[in-house]
Amino acid sequence: MQKPIQELAPRISDCLKLIYSMQEHNQKVSTSAVSERLRVSDATATMMFKDFAAAGWVEHVPYHGVRLTPLGEQKAIEVIRHHRLLELYLARELGYSWDKVHEEADRLEHVISEEFEARLDQLLGYPTIDPHGDPIPSKDGVIAVRRGIKLSQMEEGQCAQILRVSDQDPEKLCYLGSMGLYPESRVQLLARAPFGGPLQIRVGEEGAQVDHMLGAELAEHIIVSAS
């Protein structure tokens, strides 16, 4: 368990990354939740939790499952840095669409060396965000928080710039991309249907704007910097 990230079993680094993500979204990190998302048995998830606790990576929090310790966060951030640098490389240098990079990076993040990561970082110009707008941790493990509100929380008539799209589902990303809802794009909320109905939005810069209807559930996954 004390090996470098690239020498650990993929399941271990996947679990670290998942716990970090669940914590970030204030979700309970339980055995059942982790086993379901990683598609492993409850017994396997329980064993990983025990191994993580023995390594000092997690601690048990009553009624909240487990939580990463500072050491565990450091390990998880190493995996996340590999993953997001790879996503950006795949998109920018190899022409992958943003709905394809997540799964491909999942396969590659476990095998790249620290030297390869450093060269990738240099090649990409020391980037700070990945194709979905998620922050790329620095070499020192620092993550710059991109604060904003959900698109669903915007007021009618309000304009904003998209900061990040937190859903990794390829079909949803493909759909959002077809409407131009990428990070850094401009969006305006025109109208909100009652009772949780769809939102009417306007996407794009002045002179090249297009109106769309967006489901309220999808709008929950789009983080914007409102003006």
Side-chain angles (χ1 to χ4, degrees):
M1 298 290 283
Q2 303 306 321
K3 298 176 181 177
I5 284 295
Q6 63 270 21
E7 295 182 19
L8 295 175
R11 187 168 58 193
I12 292 175
S13 50
D14 285 343
C15 189
L16 284 169
K17 189 171 59 175
L18 175 59
I19 294 173
Y20 186 95
S21 175
M22 293 177 73
Q23 284 184 192
E24 189 179 31
H25 292 90
N26 297 313
Q27 297 170 344
K28 181 179 179 180
V29 186
S30 64
T31 300
S32 57
V34 169
S35 62
E36 180 181 353
R37 298 195 190 191
L38 292 181
R39 298 179 182 178
V40 300
S41 67
D42 283 355
T44 297
T46 299
M47 184 59 68
M48 283 195 290
F49 281 3
K50 288 181 178 178
D51 289 343
F52 287 5
W57 294 353
V58 300
E59 58 187 3
H60 182 263
V61 181
Y63 310 109
H64 289 85
V66 300
R67 185 168 188 84
L68 292 171
T69 63
L71 179 59
E73 284 193 2
Q74 179 186 343
K75 285 290 184 181
I77 286 171
E78 285 183 47
V79 182
I80 292 168
R81 175 172 163 80
H82 283 194
H83 183 89
R84 293 178 179 172
L85 280 171
L86 283 165
E87 283 191 332
L88 186 59
Y89 174 74
L90 290 166
R92 185 187 294 179
E93 303 296 327
L94 299 185
Y96 277 68
S97 59
W98 77 329
D99 55 294
K100 303 288 187 185
V101 295
H102 180 69
E103 289 186 2
E104 198 69 50
D106 264 345
R107 288 188 281 267
L108 296 171
E109 68 190 21
H110 310 292
V111 297
I112 67 171
S113 66
E114 296 307 306
E115 181 181 356
F116 186 91
E117 176 211 280
R119 289 175 180 259
L120 200 60
D121 195 22
Q122 182 181 30
L123 173 68
L124 295 170
Y126 307 104
T128 57
I129 59 171
D130 73 5
H132 309 108
D134 291 318
I136 297 174
S138 70
K139 182 67 176 175
D140 298 328
V142 177
I143 296 183
V145 179
R146 308 191 80 200
R147 300 194 183 280
I149 63 171
K150 297 175 181 178
L151 194 156
S152 58
Q153 296 173 319
M154 291 174 62
E155 301 290 338
E156 290 187 10
Q158 190 173 21
C159 296
Q161 183 179 50
I162 296 175
L163 290 178
R164 63 192 293 196
V165 179
S166 60
D167 201 307
Q168 297 290 353
D169 183 286
E171 291 185 3
K172 291 179 182 178
L173 288 174
C174 191
Y175 177 68
L176 293 173
S178 71
M179 292 189 283
L181 292 170
Y182 295 105
E184 312 305 327
S185 296
R186 300 292 299 177
V187 62
Q188 181 181 16
L189 177 61
L190 299 177
R192 185 193 309 273
F195 310 113
L199 311 180
Q200 183 181 1
I201 59 173
R202 180 165 291 162
V203 183
E205 299 295 334
E206 191 74 34
Q209 296 167 314
V210 181
D211 292 358
H212 297 283
M213 299 300 293
L214 178 69
E217 181 184 350
L218 279 178
E220 290 281 308
H221 297 282
I222 300 174
I223 307 301
V224 302
S225 176
S227 57

